[in-house]
Amino acid sequence: VLAELIFDGMCCPVCHSELHAGEASLQCGGAGCGAEFPVRRGVPILLHPTRSVFFSPMSAAGEAPALSEPNEAPLQEPPSFFKTPSSMRRRLSNWLPSLSHNQAARRVLARMREWLLARRRYPRVLVIGGGVVGAGLGRLLNDPAIEVVESDVALAPRVGVVCDAHDLPFCDATFDGVIVQAVLEHVLDPARCVAEIHRVLRSGGIVYADTPFIAQVHGREYDFTRFTRLGHRRLFRWFGEIESGMSGGPGMALGWTLRYFLLSFFRRPVARAAASGFARLGLFWLKYLDYLLLRAPGALDAASAFYFLGEKRDEPLPDRELVASYRGGF
C-alpha cells in the first residue's frame, strides 16, 4: 500500500507540501506543484525533477530506470555512485588489508546515541548516504529505541528513501539527529546540503559529519570538494560545536597518496587492480601511526579527514571566532 510509505514528516522535495498516494506513485498535494514521484521495490524515489543530477526523466514517465527494474537481484551498492565489482574482486578486496581506519566514528556516534536518548524518547535520525553502512554506525542502527531513516541517491538494500541532500523530502524540524559520513565531498553544493540538514533538524537537534581533507578522487564524476578543519567548521557554522577533530590522520593520508601515486602509472584495469592490491599489502600499517598523532597539533594540518558533532543553533559562529580557533602546528 503506497500510503504506508508516507511517514510523518515526509513531503515533496520541490515545494515541501504533503504527499498523497496515487495508483502507482506518490503525488504532491501542493497547489500548482503537481510533482509525481515513482516507487521502486517499495522505496519512494523523491528526487527534485529539475535540480537533482540523479533524477531520471524515465522516472517521470512512470518507467523504472534501467538500474532499478523490479525483477533485478537486490543491489549491494548504489548504482549511480559505485561500480558493482565482480564477486571474485569483492572477495579479494575483503581479504586485503584496508588503508583506512576511522579513529573517531565509533566513540563519537556512541556519544551521539546517548545524547539523543537523554533528550527524547524514541528519537528520529536521518542517515544521508545510507546505501553503505558508515564506520561505527552499527549500534545506533540496531537500537530499537531510535527510529532511523536511511536515505541515499540510489536504491540499495538498506535505503528507505531515495533522495538528494540538496532538496531533502522532509518537513522542517522532523529529525532529532542527522548523520552524514563521507558524503559532503560528493555533493555539488555542500553549503546547501548543510542548510537542508539544519532545516530538517528540530531545535537542539544534532549532526554528525565526517568529511575528507587529504584524499584522492574516490567517486569518479561525483567527487568535488575537500575541507580543512576550519573549512569544515565554517560549513557547520549554524551549529554549536560539541566536539570535532581528526577521523583519519596523516598516516592514512600518506597511505592513500602513495597508493594513488602507484595507480597513476597504469591505465589498464588489471594492472591498476594489481597495483592497488600491492599498495594495500605494503602500506596498510601506515594508518596505525595515527595513534601516535592523536594529540599532535601539527597532525591537524595533514589529516586525512575531519569529523564534527554539533547542535543546531539560531545564530552562526562569527568568522573571527572561527579564525581564532585554529589549532594546527604553525
Side-chain angles (χ1 to χ4, degrees):
V1 181
L2 294 186
E4 295 177 355
L5 300 178
I6 306 174
F7 65 81
D8 180 39
M10 184 182 286
C11 66
C12 171
V14 179
C15 68
H16 295 167
S17 297
E18 290 185 3
L19 292 171
H20 304 288
E23 293 185 3
S25 63
L26 301 183
Q27 300 169 353
C28 177
C33 180
E36 187 173 354
F37 305 96
V39 175
R40 299 288 176 256
R41 303 183 193 162
V43 177
I45 313 295
L46 301 179
L47 296 169
H48 195 296
T50 60
R51 287 205 288 242
S52 177
V53 297
F54 299 101
F55 179 81
S56 168
M58 295 178 65
S59 297
E63 301 174 19
L67 290 171
S68 303
E69 292 291 346
N71 294 326
E72 275 189 331
L75 297 176
Q76 298 302 311
E77 298 174 328
S80 60
F81 183 83
F82 296 101
K83 291 183 178 179
T84 303
S86 65
S87 58
M88 180 179 296
R89 184 169 181 176
R90 187 164 54 246
R91 286 195 296 268
L92 181 60
S93 181
N94 291 337
W95 175 80
L96 288 169
S98 173
L99 298 178
S100 301
H101 177 65
N102 194 307
Q103 298 175 300
R106 182 172 297 180
R107 177 187 60 79
V108 180
L109 284 168
R111 183 177 184 183
M112 180 179 187
R113 174 179 168 272
E114 293 173 1
W115 180 288
L116 290 165
L117 293 173
R119 283 158 178 77
R120 181 181 291 272
R121 187 178 184 183
Y122 298 113
R124 177 183 284 178
V125 174
L126 173 66
V127 178
I128 298 174
V132 175
V133 177
L137 258 179
R139 189 175 180 189
L140 191 148
L141 291 177
N142 296 322
D143 193 328
I146 299 176
E147 180 186 357
V148 181
V149 177
E150 296 175 85
S151 69
D152 211 313
V153 294
L155 290 169
R158 299 189 61 93
V159 170
V161 180
V162 170
C163 62
D164 191 321
H166 295 85
D167 295 282
L168 293 174
F170 305 106
C171 301
D172 296 359
T174 295
F175 295 96
D176 302 288
V178 173
I179 296 169
V180 53
Q181 286 181 288
V183 170
L184 293 175
E185 73 271 29
H186 299 298
V187 301
L188 290 166
D189 189 346
R192 177 176 175 81
C193 295
V194 173
E196 281 288 274
I197 290 171
H198 190 274
R199 179 183 66 81
V200 302
L201 277 171
R202 295 187 174 112
S203 178
I206 59 175
V207 62
Y208 170 74
D210 197 327
T211 316
F213 168 40
I214 298 178
Q216 290 70 32
V217 171
H218 52 278
R220 303 187 325 277
E221 66 270 37
Y222 300 112
D223 199 336
F224 305 105
T225 311
R226 300 293 184 268
F227 294 94
T228 63
R229 189 186 73 81
L230 290 189
H232 200 231
R233 180 66 186 95
R234 193 174 192 280
L235 186 63
F236 289 92
R237 63 190 178 276
W238 287 89
F239 293 83
E241 181 176 317
I242 299 172
E243 69 168 280
S244 67
M246 291 190 305
S247 54
M252 178 174 156
L254 179 59
W256 275 80
T257 298
L258 291 173
R259 173 177 176 253
Y260 272 72
F261 173 73
L262 287 175
L263 290 175
S264 299
F265 289 96
F266 304 99
R267 184 180 182 90
R268 294 186 177 181
V270 173
R272 287 176 61 85
S276 179
F278 176 79
R280 289 172 63 173
L281 283 170
L283 302 171
F284 73 92
W285 56 273
L286 288 171
K287 64 189 178 188
Y288 297 117
L289 295 179
D290 291 335
Y291 285 107
L292 303 176
L293 301 169
L294 283 174
R295 292 174 178 81
L300 293 172
D301 297 324
S304 175
F306 295 106
Y307 74 89
F308 176 81
L309 182 67
E311 181 178 6
K312 179 178 178 177
R313 296 286 173 83
D314 295 326
E315 297 292 333
L317 174 72
D319 283 339
R320 289 188 178 183
E321 288 188 25
L322 173 77
V323 172
S325 70
Y326 171 73
R327 301 198 308 265
F330 290 100

